[in-house]
Amino acid sequence: MSAEAILMNSVLAGAERVKKAPPVSEVAPKLHPLARFLDFDGTAKPPRWVIPGFIGHGVVVVAGAHGVGKTTAILPLALVAAGLHGDQLMPRQWRHVVYITEDVEQARRILSGVVRHSNLGISLEDVRERLHIVDAVRLDPSFVAQVGTTYREQFTRTVDGVELLPLVVLDTKSAVLALDNENDNSEASAMMAALKQGFAGLPVWLIGHVAKANLSRSDVTGLSNRGASAIEGDANQTLFLVREGDARYLVLGKTRFEPRWTELEITSHIAHAASEDEFGNSETVVMRWGTAAPAEMSRKKAAEQATERQRKEDEASLRQDIRDAVELAWQAGNPLNREGLKAKIRRDRNAVTDTIENLLSERWLHEVAVPANERTNPMRARYLVNLDTSEHEAAIRGAGLPPAKLVIPESWRRAPIPSVLEPEPETERGASNAAPEK
């Protein structure tokens, strides 16, 4: 065989081997997701913040009771993530926010209030550029997760080579994520996995409700989300919106980092504006929103001060009620003694007793003694009178009480025994009854 023939046979054989070569996947199998090893250079890095010092990346579950005002607090907080306001909470770089809401009109009212009626200095143009409102549609969690790629491609910002991924807010969980049984842990866990792993790595705020058993509680250690425990267990972070008196707080629950603040106080705002309905009729629109900021004092300290303030108000109210009751009874001419006063005031008996003693010692009340020979019965030995400010000052100076306050009223005095008339002499009576002489 010639050299040319040998060379040709060699080339053909090589081509055949190439033609019959196994697929690339069989030669170099795809790397397993759990075989991707990460490097560590020994340096501790800060968390990736959405709200610096308070909310990090990942899936964050925010829960609150019905009517606590979740949207009015969370939508303005999302504007902080968009770099539109925030003071201490303001991020170094802003990110786009996709806000999926079950009530688009409420969201518009909130935004109108923030833009047109607040002192935050937020322009409508910036809001329209950075905030993207979506009307909620209830879908399977795995299908919801697919839109994450669209959001990432459309709204990711790159600053100094760093990707700033858009924040996605699902307000509320039940309005966006369709679950057959929200109490089923396996189903809830699959939902959370779809958001954490299938949502293109975007930070997500999942807004929901607290369990019914927690509706009246504000202690975050006793709060839990409505539904399966896997929702909280699989979340990167949990927060609770709670109300204490007239104040609202966004309080951290579970975290994977050391926060700068454990709670934010929500300051409520309200504005009114004239507008027209769909028929052209004039109507006043009420806009309500809340802004979050680190509280000047801790929630515990604020609660203690509120309790002390309420105690003082209750004490002042009780003092006034006691003095009013004493004054009215005395003016009516039927004054009260201590027992009668305690029966009159429908409050805690021990508190009433202590307050009466304090008012007597402070000389705002005075006990008038009824002489023994004038008492209607032994239980009515003393009655109370109230002193006004000038009378109180005079008593403190030692000038004594006005004489009118010391006059014992008829209702507290024994009625005098009428004197018996002396009988007329018999002769006089007989003479007066004798017939006149003729």
Side-chain angles (χ1 to χ4, degrees), residues 2 35 46 48 113 120 127 148 161 166 178 206 217 226 232 349 356 360 368 371 373 383 406:
S2 65
R48 296 175 65 194
L120 299 175
V127 172
L206 186 60
R217 303 185 63 164
R226 190 181 72 186
E232 289 185 34
R349 189 172 179 84
I356 292 172
L360 285 167
V368 178
N373 62 338
Y383 64 85
L406 302 176

Side-chain angles (χ1 to χ4, degrees), residues 354-395:
D354 291 344
T355 304
I356 292 172
E357 294 298 332
N358 290 337
L359 290 170
L360 285 167
S361 64
E362 296 168 12
R363 316 246 345 235
W364 287 106
L365 295 182
H366 178 77
E367 280 189 305
V368 178
V370 180
N373 62 338
E374 295 185 22
R375 298 171 189 170
T376 58
N377 63 65
M379 300 298 295
R380 309 189 81 182
R382 295 173 180 273
Y383 64 85
L384 296 163
V385 293
N386 174 63
L387 307 184
D388 61 27
T389 302
S390 60
E391 293 168 344
H392 175 257
E393 291 175 352

